[in-house]
Amino acid sequence: MNDPAPQITVPVSVRRVLPDLLAAVAAVAGERLVGVWLYGSAATGTFDRGVSDIDVLIGVEGELDLDAGALAAAHARVLRAHPGFNDRLDVTWAPAAALAGGLLQPLFAVSPGEPLHTVRVTPAWALTRALVRETGLTLQGRPAREALAPVGGQELRRALVDSVAGLRNRAPQVRHRGGHAYVALTACRTLRTLTTGELVDKGEAARWTAERWPRMRPLLESALVWRRTQAVRDETPLPEELAALMRELLDLTAAAALPE
């Protein structure tokens, strides 16, 4: 890794995967590689063993016209070598124009439980760029702060507003505790950033939300437990007390997203 922050120790389980992933990336991207960046919980010291995803962004020069078959096969080899991450590897391939903030270029993605597929760039892409640029670790290639364009305040706000809409649409469809944890903790991070402009991990955002709105503590304390134990797929209905708090949390987040 080129420039890891010294205070962050990448989890051992993640370090075992990265050499194979980097080798697969190099085999497909070759000299067109701009950089490979680790972000999310594995890069911020909040990784939960056996639960958290490995989040990686890969940038390439020019158009994203790589051999999709070769790329899919490379990712499949990585997952066969590390089956424990079969549904916890989240990799995005982006062309240089998308790294610069363009919204017209499609991306390649390997999402948890999903094979390689093409995704459309939406305003929420700005949030990923901001997270990588501000909190990511460079595994190979150019440092994130050089390779990714800065994300302006209004651009980030549009991304967060888009995220709020997605959460409100997703929440009624969630049937298990891991999904409930995702909605609650993502809402906290969105609320924190909308309110303060700061990008923090979901755990810190949940603590901040609980301090500011103490009545949310039962939901947020439960969400942190659900996140660590989501391998146990509990699909019993959410108790009404917690369901009401979830609705209130989403309302708070939506209110923070209103035009200033």
Short mmCIF file of all heavy atoms in Angstrom, two decimals, residues 4 26 54 87 119 136 143 170 240 253:
data_model
loop_
_atom_site.label_atom_id
_atom_site.label_comp_id
_atom_site.label_asym_id
_atom_site.label_seq_id
_atom_site.Cartn_x
_atom_site.Cartn_y
_atom_site.Cartn_z
N PRO A 4 -0.89 4.50 3.30
CA PRO A 4 -1.87 4.29 4.35
C PRO A 4 -1.64 5.25 5.50
O PRO A 4 -0.50 5.56 5.85
CB PRO A 4 -1.64 2.82 4.78
CG PRO A 4 -0.21 2.56 4.43
CD PRO A 4 0.08 3.37 3.21
N ALA A 26 -4.42 -5.73 -11.78
CA ALA A 26 -3.28 -5.46 -12.66
C ALA A 26 -3.38 -6.27 -13.95
O ALA A 26 -3.04 -5.77 -15.03
CB ALA A 26 -1.98 -5.78 -11.93
N ILE A 54 -15.62 -5.37 2.18
CA ILE A 54 -14.40 -4.73 1.68
C ILE A 54 -14.85 -3.81 0.55
O ILE A 54 -15.39 -4.28 -0.47
CB ILE A 54 -13.38 -5.74 1.15
CG1 ILE A 54 -12.93 -6.70 2.25
CG2 ILE A 54 -12.17 -5.02 0.56
CD1 ILE A 54 -11.97 -7.79 1.77
N ASP A 87 -20.03 -12.66 -0.25
CA ASP A 87 -21.11 -11.66 -0.28
C ASP A 87 -20.70 -10.39 0.45
O ASP A 87 -21.56 -9.62 0.91
CB ASP A 87 -22.40 -12.23 0.32
CG ASP A 87 -22.22 -12.67 1.78
OD1 ASP A 87 -21.06 -12.70 2.26
OD2 ASP A 87 -23.22 -12.98 2.44
N VAL A 119 -23.44 -0.15 -13.86
CA VAL A 119 -24.33 0.71 -13.10
C VAL A 119 -24.25 2.13 -13.67
O VAL A 119 -23.21 2.58 -14.14
CB VAL A 119 -23.99 0.73 -11.59
CG1 VAL A 119 -24.21 -0.63 -10.98
CG2 VAL A 119 -22.55 1.17 -11.36
N GLY A 136 -10.14 7.40 2.25
CA GLY A 136 -9.64 6.17 1.66
C GLY A 136 -8.13 5.99 1.80
O GLY A 136 -7.38 6.93 2.06
N PRO A 143 -2.32 8.69 -5.38
CA PRO A 143 -3.08 8.97 -4.16
C PRO A 143 -4.49 9.46 -4.49
O PRO A 143 -4.69 10.15 -5.50
CB PRO A 143 -2.26 10.06 -3.46
CG PRO A 143 -0.88 9.90 -4.01
CD PRO A 143 -1.05 9.44 -5.43
N ARG A 170 -36.44 2.45 0.41
CA ARG A 170 -35.97 1.11 0.76
C ARG A 170 -36.54 0.61 2.09
O ARG A 170 -36.84 -0.58 2.24
CB ARG A 170 -34.44 1.11 0.83
CG ARG A 170 -33.82 -0.19 1.27
CD ARG A 170 -32.31 -0.14 1.20
NE ARG A 170 -31.70 -1.39 1.60
CZ ARG A 170 -30.46 -1.75 1.32
NH1 ARG A 170 -29.70 -0.94 0.61
NH2 ARG A 170 -29.97 -2.90 1.73
N GLU A 240 -42.94 -2.34 17.32
CA GLU A 240 -43.52 -1.06 16.92
C GLU A 240 -42.77 0.12 17.52
O GLU A 240 -42.62 1.16 16.87
CB GLU A 240 -45.00 -1.00 17.32
CG GLU A 240 -45.68 0.32 16.99
CD GLU A 240 -45.52 0.73 15.52
OE1 GLU A 240 -45.46 -0.16 14.65
OE2 GLU A 240 -45.43 1.95 15.24
N THR A 253 -33.95 13.00 9.03
CA THR A 253 -32.97 13.06 7.94
C THR A 253 -33.56 13.79 6.75
O THR A 253 -32.89 14.61 6.10
CB THR A 253 -32.53 11.65 7.56
OG1 THR A 253 -32.09 10.96 8.73
CG2 THR A 253 -31.38 11.68 6.56
#
